[in-house]
Amino acid sequence: MFQAAHKLLPPIDYVSLIRSLYADRLSMLLGAYGSALAAGVAALESRSAYLASIAVLFIIVGAVRHLDMRAFADAELGDQDVETAIYWEGRATIGAAAIATVYGVWCLLSFWVVDDAFAELTAASVSVSVLVGVAQRNFAIDRLMTIQVLLIAVPMSLGLLLTGDIFYALLTLLLLPFFVSLRKIAGNSRDVLLRAVHGRTTASALAVQLDTALDTLAHGLLMLDQNRLIEVANDSALEAFGIDEPADWLGCPLYELFDHALETGALTSAAARRMLVLIETGASGKVLIGNRAGQYFEASISSRDAKVVLLFEDISDRIAAEERISHMARFDALTGLPNRAHFAELVEGALEARLDEIEPGIAALLILDIDDFKHINDTLGHLAGDQLLEEVGLRLPAVLPRDAIVGRLGGDEFIVFFISHGNEDVIEADARRVVAALQVPYRLPSRELTINVSLGSVSSTDRGDDFDQLMIKADLALNAAKSGGKNRIVQFHARMDTEYQLRQQLKIDLKAAIADGEIQLAYQPIVDPRENRVVGCEALARWKHATLGAISPAVFIPIAEDTGMITDLTRFVLAKATQDCRTWPDDMRVAVNISARDFRSCNVSELVTDALDKAGLSPERLEIEVTETTVIQQRDAAASALLELSKRGVGIALDDFGTGYSSLSYLSALPFTKLKIDRSFLDDIESDDKALKLLANVVKLGKDLDLVATIEGVETERQLELVTKHTEVDLIQGFLYGAPLSYDAISRLLERQHSRQTVVPLRLVSTNT
């Protein structure tokens, strides 16, 4: 298939050819390390261990080839020593095959395994560039060049086919002619060289043949003699300088070509200076050239024996692709506004420039959130939601100061920064104008829509404030606006920062308290009102802070949920409650609340089962309480876990019934054994017959579904009288029978009740026990 070059060329020419394979060690090493860097960047972007391995392989193979080239430099190779030259040709072929294999495997993994657009683009572009370089550098050694082309092209084509995408497969068909043309171009060049050397044709004939080969090259080539006169040039080379007739410039000094390019705008002065430095110092390197027409060329400069060769590659398409990727990385695809990261960069730059101003003005940061945006998506569809976000992104810049920076944080949150040279009232007026503009009805294709907006803002005259500080404060103000009923504008004030710092400290302390077992449990009795007898208790977490004293569950439970510590807290409460219940009379049950986040972050069934097994408590003595919101937010996970627990005999209570969605379908679809009616149903029963009838009907609903009906929050004798007289309620829970008690207190109460088997005066139990 291949004809050995040493059989076709005179010994001296063949030896010179082999020497050329080992020339320019630095370029080879930089090429390998540059490819390693590209593969490493792709690995970081796609988080692929495979691509990281490819980067390591490039470094290893490049280092080995570098050592091989150094060994060649130290070897003694005479002009007629064909046998030694054949040996070094073999070593060069092995090294070239090794590096080509790495490129091929890189392409195969990027398309077939990693499946990441950036990784694919990086592998393909670098490998194709290498293929072009292979055809240009190694065209004289047919076997070496063909092996490298095959080892790169075949895996690349295979990777495109294995993606299973028809368009990738079509791309393979388009690439095949390219691969074939590379070998053909190299073959043309090789034939020209071999015929010229072998036949000792005239210089004019050789020049014609070389011109033909140069014209078929994808890259431009420019060769200078020792006097920096243009000796060889092809059409592609001078396209970079905006010249149509390269022949007119043969024999002209290079500086005249640069002067012409500078005048026409085809070359910048910086690029010209960089190229001249490389040429005059005899160094090798690459220079990016951009012209007024929007074209980009990469000039590769190398020198040898006082002559200089410049290769020009048109990389306009690659630059355009990189710019698109850069834009996608910095701007939101939906609204076209800066994304969070780029917005932060812009604001930090504005704050930095503000330091140099004598009158720095007031830095204002606004964060706004569309109220109930999820409801819009759920009812009108995500397409309508996207159209709304696009319109918001258009309206915001129109109503803000001209130099305002507007960005999208993500979801339905937008952010604005500007420097105001007015006062606080001006900034407040700007915020009101923003909200008013966003509340103007939106004409979407499906309907007209009006929205409300919550807005948090912070303003600062302090030059030292950075973006992160402003962001935290504005976010605190936004949270206050949303928690205060939404559709509000809230300006940050110092108390918010104090509350934030306290909350941050409580997060740290709560984590330590859970880990160290400093959380205590209190047990509120659940009573059969007709027998006036305790039948069970609800376990409630209590935290007494070392310096702040008792922390309300209304404070630390949301902190635990927000930080993901709720599952650790639930695990602790389950373990302690089951252990405590194990010491009570056998007819006593204990109830434990399970959070929606528990269903999201862990296997609740395993969590409960583990606590029961460690405590040795019968499943029938444990009751799990979940809210309607929990069931709806984590429907599938909750249904699976509750059904599994129900099969084991664990009781399932629907807690706070009437405060959530109150969807009757959940009562029949899930294995509830108890319905706990929220205390809000008791509010007007002493004065409103309708309220009493409503409560009675809710209790009857539970009874009709074979659920144990429990009413929470009974606090007065009158409420108890009405509840027991007019409803079929089974159990009562409330302060009328006592506040939550410590383990010791509830244990004594249950012991007295069990030993006497008589009515226990529960309503006389001290709430301070």
Side-chain angles (χ1 to χ4, degrees), residues 524-528 533-538 674 710 731-733:
Q524 186 166 35
I526 301 174
V527 180
D528 183 337
R533 183 175 65 88
V534 177
V535 297
C537 302
E538 180 180 355
K674 179 185 285 187
T710 302
L731 302 174
I732 294 292
Q733 185 176 344

Side-chain angles (χ1 to χ4, degrees), residues 473-491:
K473 294 176 181 178
D475 203 38
L476 290 173
L478 176 62
N479 289 337
K482 293 165 68 175
S483 61
K486 301 182 181 179
N487 192 26
R488 302 174 64 220
I489 299 175
V490 173
Q491 172 74 21

Side-chain angles (χ1 to χ4, degrees), residues 416-427:
V416 176
F417 174 85
F418 58 91
I419 303 294
S420 175
H421 293 283
N423 52 32
E424 300 285 350
D425 293 338
V426 173
I427 295 175

Side-chain angles (χ1 to χ4, degrees), residues 631 635 638-640 642-643 663-672 705:
V631 173
R635 179 172 182 175
S640 175
L642 296 180
L643 286 171
S663 175
L664 300 183
S665 63
Y666 293 112
L667 294 178
S668 60
L670 296 175
F672 293 114
L705 294 174

Side-chain angles (χ1 to χ4, degrees), residues 73 168 287 514 570 707 740 752:
Y168 279 67
V287 180
I514 295 174
T570 301
L707 302 176
R752 292 198 303 271

Side-chain angles (χ1 to χ4, degrees), residues 737-757:
Y737 284 98
L741 306 174
S742 67
Y743 167 71
D744 292 337
I746 195 69
S747 296
R748 290 194 298 270
L749 176 64
L750 296 178
E751 184 180 352
R752 292 198 303 271
Q753 174 177 281
H754 182 70
S755 61
R756 297 176 185 176
Q757 291 297 318

Side-chain angles (χ1 to χ4, degrees), residues 326-577:
S326 175
H327 186 276
M328 291 170 61
R330 294 181 294 121
F331 291 89
D332 175 53
L334 182 63
T335 63
L337 298 174
N339 58 21
R340 177 189 289 266
H342 187 46
F343 179 86
E345 293 175 357
L346 295 175
V347 172
E348 287 167 354
L351 291 173
E352 185 73 22
R354 180 171 173 251
L355 296 176
D356 299 329
E357 298 291 336
I358 298 176
E359 295 293 337
I362 303 175
L365 187 71
L366 317 179
I367 302 179
L368 55 97
D369 181 280
I370 300 174
D371 294 339
D372 302 317
F373 181 73
K374 183 179 184 301
H375 178 71
I376 296 173
N377 272 339
D378 291 342
T379 56
L380 301 182
H382 287 275
L383 179 59
D386 289 347
Q387 292 170 340
L388 174 61
L389 293 174
E390 285 186 77
E391 183 61 28
V392 170
L394 292 173
R395 289 191 187 186
L396 277 173
V399 297
L400 287 163
R402 185 173 58 182
D403 58 348
I405 304 171
V406 182
R408 183 186 176 199
L409 288 180
D412 59 333
E413 283 193 339
F414 292 82
I415 188 167
V416 176
F417 174 85
F418 58 91
I419 303 294
S420 175
H421 293 283
N423 52 32
E424 300 285 350
D425 293 338
V426 173
I427 295 175
E428 185 176 349
D430 288 335
R432 288 197 300 269
R433 188 167 61 253
V434 166
V435 172
L438 297 183
Q439 289 178 333
V440 174
Y442 297 82
R443 296 186 180 277
L444 303 181
S446 57
R447 60 171 294 175
E448 184 174 277
L449 179 67
T450 301
I451 64 171
N452 290 323
V453 175
S454 297
L455 186 148
S457 69
V458 61
S459 56
S460 173
T461 57
D462 187 352
R463 295 174 183 264
D465 274 349
D466 60 19
F467 172 70
D468 290 336
Q469 292 172 323
L470 294 174
M471 183 76 176
I472 290 173
K473 294 176 181 178
D475 203 38
L476 290 173
L478 176 62
N479 289 337
K482 293 165 68 175
S483 61
K486 301 182 181 179
N487 192 26
R488 302 174 64 220
I489 299 175
V490 173
Q491 172 74 21
F492 172 83
H493 50 76
R495 188 176 70 254
M496 292 180 184
D497 191 43
T498 302
E499 293 170 351
Y500 171 75
Q501 297 300 331
L502 175 60
R503 184 177 176 86
Q504 296 302 105
Q505 187 60 48
L506 287 179
K507 289 179 182 179
I508 298 172
D509 295 343
L510 178 59
K511 184 176 183 179
I514 295 174
D516 297 339
E518 296 176 0
I519 302 297
Q520 303 296 322
L521 295 190
Y523 296 95
Q524 186 166 35
I526 301 174
V527 180
D528 183 337
R530 291 172 176 80
E531 296 183 6
N532 204 28
R533 183 175 65 88
V534 177
V535 297
C537 302
E538 180 180 355
L540 303 170
R542 295 292 184 262
W543 179 25
K544 188 173 183 179
H545 194 277
T547 56
L548 301 176
I551 306 296
S552 169
V555 173
F556 74 81
I557 295 296
I559 290 177
E561 290 184 333
D562 292 344
T563 57
M565 290 186 282
I566 189 64
T567 299
D568 292 333
L569 180 59
T570 301
R571 184 179 291 107
F572 171 81
V573 173
L574 274 169
K576 185 71 169 65

Side-chain angles (χ1 to χ4, degrees), residues 101 159 199 205 291 593 608 628:
T101 300
N291 59 32
N593 289 280
V608 174
E628 293 168 289

